[in-house]
Amino acid sequence: MLNEEICKLRNKLNQSIASGEDYSIVYQLSIELDELIAQYYRNIKKMA
């Protein structure tokens, strides 16, 4: 589930960059993606 969210947000970020959206939007999407990735790795660490 979290993998799907990461992929969707990564695609959205890539589209924002490609379309030349405002930097603040790209930056916000990047922060959100970083948070999801960090959550993903925290979950993996808990399962180990």
Side-chain angles (χ1 to χ4, degrees), residues 2-47:
L2 196 52
N3 286 342
E4 292 175 20
E5 290 180 54
I6 290 171
C7 288
K8 288 178 186 178
L9 192 53
R10 184 186 305 130
N11 288 337
K12 188 174 179 179
L13 174 60
N14 289 339
Q15 289 174 353
S16 294
I17 293 169
S19 67
E21 284 200 49
D22 187 69
Y23 177 77
S24 62
I25 294 170
V26 172
Y27 182 70
Q28 183 61 40
L29 290 172
S30 179
I31 290 172
E32 291 175 24
L33 181 58
D34 287 348
E35 289 173 359
L36 283 179
I37 292 170
Q39 182 179 353
Y40 173 81
Y41 282 109
R42 279 192 300 270
N43 288 348
I44 287 177
K45 189 175 180 181
K46 287 180 185 178
M47 294 184 343

